Amino acid sequence: MQPTPPSDFARLRRKPQRGAYDQATIHAILDAAPFCHVGHVIQGRPVVIPTFHWRHGDTVFWHGSSASRMIRANAAGGEVCLTVSLLDAWVLARTSFNHSANYRSVMCFGVPSLVDDPTEKLAAMRGFVERLFPGRWETLRPPTEQEVKATAILSLPLTEASAKLRSGPPGDDPEDRDWPVWAGTLPLRLVGDAPVPDDDVQPGQEPPATPFAG
Amino acid sequence: MQPTPPSDFARLRRKPQRGAYDQATIHAILDAAPFCHVGHVIQGRPVVIPTFHWRHGDTVFWHGSSASRMIRANAAGGEVCLTVSLLDAWVLARTSFNHSANYRSVMCFGVPSLVDDPTEKLAAMRGFVERLFPGRWETLRPPTEQEVKATAILSLPLTEASAKLRSGPPGDDPEDRDWPVWAGTLPLRLVGDAPVPDDDVQPGQEPPATPFAG
């Protein structure tokens, strides 16, 4: 449990009442997000790259190609900021200033490690697939040594992380509440459309459930 | 039109066949994304913050609080990387290595400017609201001078931007195609659930359409 900010850098400055630092909240948001954005400093410049992440215990993992700039920056010991954000609803107020959104987000800071032991890497790859498609790993053509080599996996302990959340109705000032306009929330949700089978899929093979579709 | 990379830094290294540098593609993806992640370098460390953006012509705008670290970092002339990412489908292959996703993403690099002229800022705020809720601006309680001051808006010309896209079926190797497992794509889409009116909304006021709900 981290009831207080794990570092001054990770402490929320804006709207600190929306902040949370406890492990359960941070884990739940990481687990609910289909993908993440990882920020690096490359040649002194910020670079933000979308990729897929997963969590095991108090560690977050993400995936890249062994040949990517992102992975090479991390291999050089660079720090990252891994952020996930879920937009739950638009929040419509009576004045533009009080418009907002209901959301859940997490920021994780630190220096990641490359998972380079082949056994650990294979276990992590399995964790990635099983997070999305439980039971699928065993049904796939097993990875070759070359495929394992070409996959890069990074791990970051969740030692410097924070969550930020908003929920509920708009926060109009009392004197604005009778302004004659609709106000409230417009919830958003991800859904899965019908699976599209590839050519050559054999009869009897069924698609798994769509991850993160509500 | 930018048929070639606008800079070496913005050039895609990994899977360059998925890259696009033309204005129409970049604009369309920015317009289709509900929100963005902005990366900054603060005290030498990467910081990735989700926020809302909108586009006007060949400029992208985003929104923050005048008091935020993010805005202060930008006010100091710091460079950003603004990234938007849309996850369109999970792509399931016959081997873990060829699993992928269909997506559309854009990265925009540069040094943003604070929109500080009050008239320009008001016009930008209007653009933000109208992007999401066409016609709503005129129905709201007009912003006060203090509300305009407390809102920070940043602008970035799209001079160093790139897009990356994947679509279509999995890319299994020919020798894997008869592996007995389901393969194909699982499309994802945002939908809007029923609007939740705030207390005190007057009879006859109707909610707008939910932005980005398909």
Side-chain angles (χ1 to χ4, degrees):
Chain A
M1 294 293 285
Q2 298 168 320
T4 55
S7 72
D8 187 61
F9 197 77
R11 180 171 58 83
L12 273 77
R13 306 312 210 266
R14 292 295 309 154
K15 306 208 185 260
Q17 72 280 11
R18 295 184 184 170
Y21 304 99
D22 65 285
Q23 204 178 60
T25 302
I26 288 167
H27 288 186
I29 296 171
L30 285 168
D31 293 353
F35 64 100
C36 67
H37 284 81
V38 183
H40 311 78
V41 180
I42 296 181
Q43 298 168 33
R45 306 174 68 176
V47 178
V48 178
I49 296 177
T51 189
F52 293 97
H53 70 284
W54 64 103
R55 184 184 64 81
H56 182 71
D58 209 30
T59 300
V60 64
F61 295 88
W62 65 99
H63 163 268
S65 154
S66 297
S68 74
R69 265 194 291 191
M70 169 176 89
I71 298 297
R72 282 181 284 150
N74 293 135
E79 188 170 3
V80 301
C81 172
L82 183 151
T83 299
V84 301
S85 309
L86 295 158
L87 176 61
D88 294 323
W90 302 102
V91 177
L92 284 70
R94 282 84 171 176
T95 175
S96 60
F97 187 73
N98 285 322
H99 277 63
S100 186
N102 288 337
Y103 62 89
R104 291 164 288 160
S105 69
V106 161
M107 296 171 68
C108 312
F109 299 99
V111 177
S113 305
L114 263 175
V115 179
D116 51 12
D117 174 79
T119 308
E120 281 178 36
K121 202 199 269 190
L122 202 61
M125 287 167 67
R126 182 191 172 109
F128 180 23
V129 170
E130 291 289 308
R131 176 203 187 196
L132 298 172
F133 313 107
R136 186 167 176 85
W137 181 262
E138 295 298 336
T139 68
L140 297 172
R141 192 265 285 150
T144 64
E145 197 179 325
Q146 184 48 43
E147 288 174 343
V148 176
K149 266 190 198 157
T151 304
I153 293 175
L154 288 143
S155 73
L156 180 71
L158 295 169
T159 50
E160 196 176 359
S162 65
K164 196 170 182 180
L165 307 88
R166 189 199 190 280
S167 60
D172 277 306
D173 296 328
E175 58 271 28
D176 290 327
R177 292 188 63 85
D178 61 356
W179 193 269
V181 66
W182 191 89
T185 62
L186 302 177
L188 281 168
R189 184 166 47 96
L190 272 177
V191 296
D193 281 326
V196 180
D198 196 13
D199 293 342
D200 306 333
V201 170
Q202 294 163 28
Q205 300 294 346
E206 295 298 329
T210 301
F212 304 99
Chain B
M1 296 289 286
Q2 299 169 320
T4 55
S7 72
D8 187 60
F9 197 78
R11 180 170 58 82
L12 272 77
R13 306 311 210 268
R14 291 296 309 156
K15 308 209 185 257
Q17 72 281 9
R18 296 185 183 169
Y21 303 99
D22 64 286
Q23 203 178 61
T25 302
I26 289 168
H27 287 185
I29 296 172
L30 285 169
D31 293 353
F35 63 101
C36 68
H37 284 82
V38 183
H40 312 78
V41 181
I42 297 181
Q43 298 169 31
R45 306 174 69 175
V47 178
V48 178
I49 297 177
T51 190
F52 293 96
H53 70 285
W54 62 104
R55 183 184 65 81
H56 182 73
D58 209 29
T59 300
V60 64
F61 295 88
W62 66 99
H63 163 268
S65 154
S66 297
S68 75
R69 267 195 290 193
M70 169 175 91
I71 299 296
R72 281 180 285 152
N74 293 135
E79 189 170 3
V80 301
C81 172
L82 183 151
T83 299
V84 300
S85 309
L86 295 158
L87 176 61
D88 294 322
W90 302 102
V91 177
L92 284 69
R94 283 83 170 176
T95 176
S96 60
F97 187 73
N98 285 322
H99 278 63
S100 186
N102 288 337
Y103 62 90
R104 291 164 287 159
S105 69
V106 160
M107 295 170 68
C108 312
F109 298 100
V111 177
S113 305
L114 263 175
V115 179
D116 50 12
D117 174 80
T119 308
E120 280 177 38
K121 201 197 271 191
L122 202 61
M125 287 167 66
R126 182 189 171 110
F128 179 24
V129 170
E130 290 289 307
R131 176 205 187 196
L132 298 172
F133 313 107
R136 187 166 175 86
W137 181 262
E138 295 297 335
T139 68
L140 297 171
R141 193 265 285 152
T144 64
E145 197 179 324
Q146 184 48 41
E147 288 173 343
V148 176
K149 266 191 196 159
T151 303
I153 293 175
L154 288 143
S155 74
L156 180 71
L158 296 168
T159 50
E160 196 175 1
S162 64
K164 197 169 182 182
L165 306 89
R166 189 198 190 280
S167 60
D172 277 306
D173 296 330
E175 60 271 26
D176 290 328
R177 292 189 62 86
D178 62 355
W179 193 268
V181 67
W182 192 88
T185 61
L186 302 176
L188 280 168
R189 185 166 47 94
L190 272 178
V191 295
D193 281 327
V196 180
D198 195 14
D199 294 342
D200 305 333
V201 170
Q202 294 163 28
Q205 300 293 347
E206 295 297 329
T210 301
F212 304 99

